[in-house]
Amino acid sequence: MFPTKAKTLHRLLRFRHTVWCSPFGKASSSRLVLGIETSCDETGAAVLDETGEILGESLHSQKDVHLRTGGIIPTVAQQLHRENIERVVQEALERSNVDVSQLSAVATTVKPGLALSLGIGLEFSQRFVRRHSKPFIPIHHMEAHALTVRMLQPVSFPFLVLLVSGGHSLLAVARGVDDFLLLGHSLDEAPGDTLDKVARRLSLIKHPRCSMLSGGQAIELLAKDGDWKKFRFRTPMGQSYDCCFSFSGLRNQVTMAIMKKEAEEGIEQGTLLSCVNDIAAATQHTVARHLAKRTHRAILFCKANGLLPSSSPTLVLSGGVASNQYIRKALTIITDMTGLHLLCPPAKFCTDNGVMIAWNGVERLREGKGILSPNVDVYYEPKAPLGVDMTAEVKAAAIKLPSVRMKILN
Ligand code: KG4
Ligand code: ZN
């Protein structure tokens, strides 16, 4: 059979599968959603059905380009999204063997993120939904990260979620598809951003084992051969009894230690230090401790206020930094101690992609929440908090943590 014929047949079969007659004689359907993501440095698209089955996806990552330029340049990111979005969406549709006419809705990230990047996805999507007369579902990027786990396994609301990546760090209680309580967020930068900046300051791109890795991956790899006790960095915000994060002070401590070592070894910035493994280990250990402590307090706050179910309460860990095994172990110590169940989606679903956006679209479609007609004008929002801000209540509760022995095995 010619490939085009095979494709046509597959499409027809798919169509039969998506529109069927229920035993009650009423036409029923498994609705399909196209998801589009362009909030940062990944151009992603995917088609999902209502059960969460991924029918087709495509992802173009700009990470290599940004690694070479030493960070994301928004105009470069925008140009790369512009060059790739059409192809990525086309590929996702082709791989799914779904015709545009079969889609029930298009879901696209519209907040938060880089303005220039968000703009490309939104502009493309609005043209697309108008041309094909499809409902449009604007998506909050963090909501999508938080809900992805439900595509993979049955996790019911409410659950606690820790999102940590290059652009975000927050702790929230997910109570429903569009119902979140924000317990903590970063007051300055995100942990992945800190790890990326430390890696850059250490010139890890020149390290033979790290040249192709993101900052966080490079730090995790080198830390395996390092001793964190060689550099005792202070865990941030020890005197703030809330669940917010801060990483810029830690970065400052690390930079000072690097400068001291450079002076001692008589080398210039840009040359690899002999103690990179130890610095990587100490940085990673301090980030892990900080995340663990704030999460511990969030769990105690939730317990004190009945915000989580008494039977098998869950902590979901997601975002690019969540793939760090050392950080996972630190959080496991906390969840074991407090009786929570820790869930981490596989790395592929922790990072940015079109699948999580399509899934968020499915969740909203099922509940009939935030579905717009194609002609409604939608604007992107580079900054957009998630849910109801509870950070003042958390701070007022001033929960003191019991001491925990953080013996994290590498
Ligand atoms: O979710 P993501 O792909 O993109 C956003 O930032 O939204 O996360 C990328 C971030 C980068 O900062 C990267 O250094 C960090 O996640 N990262 C890691 C690891 N893998 C990626 N950080 C720590 N350990 C890792 N294994
Ligand atoms: Zn993200």
Side-chain angles (χ1 to χ4, degrees):
M1 202 184 292
F2 294 107
T4 46
K5 267 198 182 164
K7 214 169 242 180
T8 311
L9 182 60
H10 197 118
R11 264 193 193 145
L12 285 170
L13 288 172
R14 166 84 60 210
F15 193 68
R16 238 183 47 190
H17 166 73
T18 54
V19 179
W20 53 286
C21 265
S22 78
F24 310 105
K26 234 171 103 184
S28 182
S29 60
S30 175
R31 293 173 294 180
L32 308 178
V33 175
L34 166 67
I36 299 177
E37 157 66 31
T38 65
S39 69
C40 188
D41 56 354
E42 317 276 355
T43 316
V47 179
L48 260 66
D49 74 9
E50 249 178 319
T51 67
E53 192 189 335
I54 302 165
L55 305 182
E57 62 176 306
S58 176
L59 187 67
H60 173 265
S61 176
Q62 310 175 354
K63 288 212 158 44
D64 286 354
V65 176
H66 300 311
L67 199 61
R68 271 182 266 125
T69 52
I72 299 176
I73 301 168
T75 47
V76 173
Q78 180 190 40
Q79 181 57 21
L80 291 170
H81 283 305
R82 193 179 278 132
E83 285 168 15
N84 289 287
I85 187 149
E86 181 108 40
R87 177 184 59 78
V88 164
V89 170
Q90 205 50 43
E91 250 171 36
L93 284 166
E94 275 170 22
R95 287 173 185 166
S96 61
N97 284 304
V98 162
D99 188 76
V100 178
S101 62
Q102 291 169 261
L103 294 173
S104 289
V106 176
T108 302
T109 309
V110 302
K111 59 185 174 186
L114 295 174
L116 296 180
S117 296
L118 288 168
I120 298 293
L122 180 56
E123 200 184 302
F124 177 91
S125 302
Q126 293 224 289
R127 260 189 285 116
F128 188 94
V129 294
R130 282 170 190 168
R131 180 159 11 110
H132 300 288
S133 300
K134 296 291 171 188
F136 183 55
I137 310 178
I139 299 292
H140 190 300
H141 184 83
M142 310 307 289
E143 181 181 303
H145 269 303
L147 297 179
T148 309
V149 69
R150 286 164 48 84
M151 180 187 83
L152 305 164
Q153 56 207 103
V155 183
S156 34
F157 297 116
F159 56 87
L160 183 64
V161 56
L162 170 63
L163 298 177
V164 274
S165 73
H168 354 282
S169 59
L170 63 81
L171 270 163
V173 181
R175 300 198 302 180
V177 170
D178 63 348
D179 181 7
F180 289 82
L181 300 178
L182 183 67
L183 304 184
H185 56 84
S186 179
L187 302 178
D188 38 59
E189 57 198 42
D193 191 22
T194 308
L195 295 172
D196 291 340
K197 285 173 174 154
V198 167
R200 272 207 294 283
R201 181 61 185 80
L202 285 168
S203 303
L204 295 188
I205 197 137
K206 294 184 184 164
H207 195 291
R209 297 173 70 203
C210 301
S211 61
M212 296 305 287
L213 302 182
S214 70
Q217 287 169 323
I219 300 265
E220 180 172 23
L221 182 75
L222 298 184
K224 287 193 170 78
D225 298 321
D227 178 1
W228 65 264
K229 295 191 197 76
K230 295 270 171 67
F231 293 88
R232 299 271 184 164
F233 299 132
R234 249 184 342 279
T235 305
M237 301 182 78
Q239 300 309 310
S240 303
Y241 301 111
D242 60 19
C243 294
C244 284
F245 307 95
S246 167
F247 295 95
S248 61
L250 168 63
R251 184 154 60 81
N252 207 27
Q253 290 182 69
V254 179
T255 307
M256 303 291 272
I258 295 172
M259 284 163 65
K260 189 161 172 270
K261 280 287 161 193
E262 282 169 348
E264 276 172 30
E265 295 188 12
I267 60 171
E268 292 201 345
Q269 180 172 339
T271 315
L272 282 172
L273 278 169
S274 64
C275 57
V276 275
N277 295 351
D278 298 333
I279 294 179
T283 307
Q284 177 179 261
H285 182 76
T286 314
V287 168
R289 264 178 70 89
H290 185 38
L291 294 175
K293 279 173 172 274
R294 308 323 268 187
T295 306
H296 192 172
R297 182 169 290 113
I299 292 171
L300 298 184
F301 181 83
C302 287
K303 287 194 169 191
N305 292 281
L307 296 177
L308 292 176
S310 46
S311 126
S312 45
T314 300
L315 168 67
V316 172
L317 171 62
S318 193
V321 177
S323 50
N324 184 293
Q325 296 302 319
Y326 193 87
I327 289 171
R328 285 190 187 195
K329 283 180 197 160
L331 287 159
T332 307
I333 293 174
I334 301 302
T335 48
D336 283 353
M337 209 181 133
T338 50
L340 266 74
H341 181 49
L342 178 65
L343 287 180
C344 309
K348 171 180 182 319
F349 296 115
C350 279
T351 52
D352 296 349
N353 55 68
V355 174
M356 70 177 195
I357 306 304
W359 173 251
N360 200 157
V362 167
E363 292 245 39
R364 282 182 164 270
L365 196 62
R366 277 178 181 169
E367 297 209 356
K369 286 184 168 154
I371 305 156
L372 307 179
S373 93
N375 288 318
V376 174
D377 285 326
V378 177
Y379 302 94
Y380 61 77
E381 294 170 52
K383 284 201 184 346
L386 179 71
V388 178
D389 190 347
M390 296 283 290
T391 53
E393 284 81 351
V394 175
K395 198 178 182 73
I399 296 170
K400 301 259 180 359
L401 296 177
S403 73
V404 180
R405 197 155 165 262
M406 275 283 168
K407 192 163 172 23
I408 312 164
L409 300 174
N410 231 329

